[in-house]
């Protein structure tokens, strides 16, 4: 029987990762530029450039990180096989120590160690997970994850940017963008917290405040330097 | 005796996370704007706004994610304590299944289960780590991590942006920025791969290509829309 633990699917997590940054950074960038330029055309151009750059950095970066994780896992796996082969007594001692930490008496420790070390594959699997804390990563998952995160970043980024396409005055654009984005961040934070099992209202407020803080800081710094 | 596994400190990892994005996104944003505007002053303003926005989103976002992780852990911990209290037989069965999967025979399974379930705290610790794969998160670490990532983003972001401060022509700025940033990305990718135990040369090329791809895409898309 499966327990109902507070876990959401990887797909939902990836959407959340991409959208969090997609809503926040282009929003703040556009807000920053609104403090420094009068016309919205430069803001939409910069915003589009940022969305392209950010989605590629997050998506491609995420994919390559996934690849690296696979390589890392394989390297550690090879190493554990070698150790089990070359220094089995030391590896047995490590298993024994793990169970000693959990309060098993010496007799029980020995039984577990002997049972585990009978099957080399299972023994290595055990060491990978319980000694190193590594789970076998999935390269297809890395690819899908990259696509989802990149797409979510684009979708998130279009929301704060959209208002600037419809007005010419930057300050007016900023007002609409703030209204649309802060509301979206609130709703997004609410559902994000729901799927991750947190308090939805607290989560909604946190997410909205990050966005507002980033936008506010970008506005004032850009005004200082550029205005 | 500690094994020499390929792991770098959390501090180094945070620097790598912040710098990767800091070098890539502001670089690509500035490159994108260079395709659309003639003068560098708007590029430096946008770049500064982006660095402020990105470092806050990454830093503050990372800190709040760390907080959420702590809350999530505490909620799961409470739940496991309740389960151990209310449905101990089902929890014992879960422990038994974990060891059955590793090839322990029934006798050994029962010995481990009985030994583990003697101490409720250790039993719950075991379930947290081995059933749910959760380690106790550290909130101080979340705070430090946020600061390190945010700072590394700023340091990384200043490098591609710096050349635009010294020239007036955007295309000239882009050329200098490309030279400085692609070189930095290569060196950064090299050391990043070294500390994460990957092939340094492959890693250096990968990191440089992500940066170049993001900058190239941003340049052409911004030219299309804004130029």
């Amino acid at each position: 029987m499966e327990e109902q633990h507070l876990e959401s699917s990887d797909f939902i997590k990836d959407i959340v990762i991409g959208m969090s940054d997609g809503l926040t950074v282009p929003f703040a960038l556009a807000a920053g530029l609104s403090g420094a330029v009068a016309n919205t055309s430069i803001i939409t151009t910069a915003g589009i450039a940022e969305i392209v750059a950010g989605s590629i950095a997050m998506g491609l970066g995420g994919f390559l990180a996934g690849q690296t994780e696979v390589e890392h896992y394989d390297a550690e796996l090879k190493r554990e096989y070698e150790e089990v082969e070359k220094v089995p007594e030391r590896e047995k001692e490590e298993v024994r120590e793990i169970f000693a930490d959990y309060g098993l008496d010496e007799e029980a420790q020995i039984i577990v160690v002997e049972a585990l070390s009978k099957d080399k594959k299972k023994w290595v699997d055990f060491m990978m997970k319980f000694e190193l804390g590594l789970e076998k990563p999935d390269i297809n998952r890395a690819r899908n994850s990259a696509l989802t995160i990149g797409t979510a970043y684009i979708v998130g980024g279009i929301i704060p940017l959209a208002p600037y396409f419809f007005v010419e005055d930057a300050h007016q654009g900023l007002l609409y963008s703030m209204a649309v984005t802060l509301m979206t961040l609130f709703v997004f934070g609410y559902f994000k917290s729901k799927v991750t099992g947190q308090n939805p209202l607290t989560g909604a407020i946190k997410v909205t405040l990050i966005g507002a803080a980033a936008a506010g800081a970008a506005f004032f710094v850009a005004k200082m330097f550029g205005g």
Side-chain angles (χ1 to χ4, degrees), chain A:
Chain A
M1 199 161 94
E2 286 286 308
E3 291 176 37
Q4 279 288 322
H5 277 285
L6 313 160
E7 264 180 288
S8 56
S9 78
D10 288 330
F11 180 66
I12 301 279
K13 270 185 206 155
D14 288 339
I15 291 181
V16 166
I17 292 171
M19 271 211 121
S20 293
D21 274 27
L23 281 167
T24 308
V25 182
F27 171 48
L29 170 68
L33 282 172
S34 304
V37 303
N39 196 284
T40 51
S41 77
I42 196 70
I43 296 176
T44 53
T45 304
I48 287 167
E50 208 289 333
I51 290 172
V52 171
S55 63
I56 290 179
M58 282 196 90
L60 199 54
F63 173 64
L64 293 181
Q67 258 193 342
T68 302
E69 215 187 308
V70 172
E71 285 162 23
H72 177 68
Y73 185 88
D74 290 344
E76 290 289 342
L77 192 70
K78 195 164 153 266
R79 189 176 200 125
E80 280 297 340
Y81 267 112
E82 281 169 13
E83 285 174 352
V84 159
E85 204 68 55
K86 281 186 207 151
V87 284
E89 292 312 315
R90 205 182 72 189
E91 293 299 295
K92 280 186 185 176
E93 180 61 22
E94 285 177 5
V95 175
R96 214 185 52 66
E97 276 167 17
I98 290 173
F99 288 103
D101 286 347
Y102 283 105
L104 267 66
D105 61 32
E106 209 146 330
E107 193 205 358
Q109 292 166 25
I110 290 165
I111 290 171
V112 181
V113 169
E114 290 312 318
L116 252 183
S117 56
K118 263 188 243 157
D119 182 334
K120 259 182 203 147
K121 191 188 166 305
K122 289 193 168 158
W123 187 8
V124 168
D125 282 353
F126 179 88
M127 298 304 280
M128 291 300 286
K129 182 156 178 200
F130 296 102
E131 189 206 357
L132 302 177
L134 294 174
E135 305 260 3
K136 190 163 181 51
D138 177 357
I139 188 65
N140 293 321
R141 156 113 188 79
R143 195 175 304 122
N144 293 340
S145 176
L147 264 173
T148 310
I149 292 176
T151 310
Y153 191 93
I154 294 171
V155 173
I158 286 171
I159 294 169
L161 204 59
Y164 294 97
F165 283 97
F166 298 107
V167 295
E168 275 195 15
D169 177 62
H171 277 89
Q172 206 184 342
L174 175 59
L175 285 181
Y176 292 138
S177 178
M178 274 171 65
V180 173
T181 311
L182 293 176
M183 222 152 56
T184 309
L185 280 168
F186 193 88
V187 174
F188 169 74
Y190 188 90
F191 285 106
K192 172 190 162 181
S193 305
K194 269 213 141 163
V195 298
T196 54
Q198 303 308 304
N199 182 300
L201 203 63
T202 315
I205 292 169
K206 270 188 195 175
V207 167
T208 310
L209 284 184
I210 296 179
F219 181 89
F220 286 111
V221 172
K223 209 177 179 65
M224 225 162 66
F225 279 86

